[in-house]
Amino acid sequence: MKAIKLFFQGLLVLGIFLTLVNLYGLTQNIRVDNFDNEYLRFPNDQPLPFEKSVTEVIKKANETDLEYAKRVTQVISQGVSHVSWLKFPADQFNQLIPIWENYFLYFMGKFSGIPEFERYHFANYERSLKRGIGICGDASMILSQLLDKQNIRNQILTFPGHVVVVAHFKNDDEYILDADFGVVIPYSVDEMVKNVDDTAKLYLDAGYKSWDFVFFQNAYRQEFASWNGVKHFITKKYYFEKIVYWLKWPLPFIMIVFSLWIIRKNATKESTI
């Protein structure tokens, strides 16, 4: 009986603690505004403020699907800072999700030993934009979800070392959209594979370096995989993230209410003995 009482008292304390952690999180910002050049892949790659990013990704009146896709590719590239993903401590830019943001993701990152949680890539595009950091996979997941919202058919393409999105428009037009680099490739997938040198040159034209040209020359000659959106791309993590963000508030509430009920019930029973 004493062990049971201690268990539910501990559960009550844990529920109160997690509730306080959640409340504290409401006062915090997951974005770390310390993007010095030493941390960045590209010089002066400061992300747009979150409020500006979420405003700019809204489709404008009279904007065609193609115009929107081209513009939002640039917005995402500007809204996500390209930190060197593996170079710095995981908590420096909140790649390890802070306990006050989501305690499930924090404990998974801290104790599971799974690299995907130790340096976490958000499935939800608003959370990625809010944190303001990412690599090609993050940028492509953001773009794919925004295109989905506008009913623009698209797939995520994964090449060795890089991820892009192919979008389909009227008259069977296809464009490859690289939201990581902010480059729009006006080719279908088949055309891009046949014109790798011309495709890679688009990165030079956009102001990137010769080594980027060489990288894309090599990357786009490799085999690629196609994914039907973020749910297909990271299925298990997509649904896990949805569940843990939904559960982070009701779980401690249930723990508190249930523990208090059991403790009170036991106290009543003891008083009648």
Side-chain angles (χ1 to χ4, degrees):
M1 183 66 72
K2 187 176 180 180
I4 294 174
K5 183 177 180 180
L6 287 173
F7 172 79
F8 284 103
Q9 287 175 340
L11 193 65
L12 174 62
V13 171
L14 179 59
I16 294 171
F17 170 74
L18 292 178
T19 299
L20 293 174
V21 165
N22 283 339
L23 291 171
Y24 176 72
L26 296 176
T27 69
Q28 300 303 298
N29 186 355
I30 197 169
R31 178 174 295 203
V32 179
D33 292 322
N34 183 20
F35 296 100
D36 294 337
N37 282 337
E38 63 178 301
Y39 305 127
L40 303 173
R41 284 164 51 200
F42 309 123
N44 303 315
D45 183 28
Q46 305 299 318
L48 294 174
F50 171 65
E51 294 75 14
K52 185 172 179 61
S53 292
V54 293
T55 300
E56 288 296 314
V57 298
I58 298 171
K59 191 176 182 183
K60 297 178 180 179
N62 301 320
E63 192 173 33
T64 68
D65 286 349
L66 180 55
E67 289 169 343
Y68 172 73
K70 288 181 176 180
R71 183 177 63 79
V72 82
T73 296
Q74 297 290 335
V75 172
I76 295 167
S77 178
Q78 295 164 7
V80 176
S81 186
H82 304 81
V83 298
S84 298
W85 197 256
L86 299 176
K87 189 174 180 181
F88 303 101
D91 58 356
Q92 185 161 345
F93 295 100
N94 290 329
Q95 292 165 293
L96 172 63
I97 302 304
I99 190 171
W100 45 260
E101 170 66 17
N102 189 291
Y103 51 85
F104 290 103
L105 294 179
Y106 170 78
F107 289 122
M108 286 294 293
K110 201 74 174 174
F111 303 112
S112 72
I114 301 173
E116 291 180 1
F117 288 96
E118 292 172 342
R119 295 178 186 265
Y120 191 76
H121 299 275
F122 281 116
N124 179 278
Y125 79 89
E126 287 193 344
R127 294 186 189 114
S128 280
L129 290 173
K130 190 171 186 179
R131 186 170 57 171
I133 61 169
I135 55 177
C136 53
D138 302 279
S140 294
M141 287 192 288
I142 296 169
L143 177 58
S144 180
Q145 290 175 83
L146 290 170
L147 296 178
D148 285 343
K149 286 169 68 76
Q150 300 301 325
N151 296 313
I152 300 172
R153 189 164 59 91
N154 68 90
Q155 289 87 37
I156 296 172
L157 305 181
T158 53
F159 291 84
H162 198 52
V163 185
V164 294
V165 172
V166 57
H168 309 269
F169 302 96
K170 293 179 180 178
N171 303 320
D172 295 325
D173 285 343
E174 284 184 12
Y175 279 71
I176 310 296
L177 306 171
D178 187 340
D180 186 32
F181 282 74
V183 172
V184 175
I185 302 169
Y187 302 141
S188 66
V189 176
D190 291 339
E191 290 170 335
M192 184 183 73
V193 171
K194 293 175 183 176
N195 299 280
V196 170
D197 290 342
D198 290 339
T199 298
K201 187 175 180 298
L202 293 171
Y203 290 85
L204 287 178
D205 295 341
Y208 292 101
K209 304 297 183 182
S210 57
W211 52 79
D212 294 311
F213 172 80
V214 173
F215 170 80
F216 288 111
Q217 267 188 322
N218 293 327
Y220 290 144
R221 284 195 172 97
Q222 308 300 314
E223 293 291 328
F224 64 88
S226 178
W227 311 86
N228 292 319
V230 177
K231 293 179 186 178
H232 185 210
F233 184 44
I234 52 166
T235 305
K236 292 180 181 178
K237 204 169 77 172
Y238 175 86
Y239 287 106
F240 181 77
E241 185 178 309
K242 271 188 170 295
I243 290 168
V244 299
Y245 268 92
W246 176 84
L247 197 57
K248 76 170 193 171
W249 283 99
L251 179 62
F253 176 77
I254 292 169
M255 292 165 69
I256 292 169
V257 171
F258 185 64
S259 298
L260 286 173
W261 178 70
I262 294 293
I263 291 169
R264 183 176 180 181
K265 184 178 180 182
N266 286 338
T268 301
K269 188 180 294 185
E270 289 175 358
S271 67
T272 58
I273 295 175

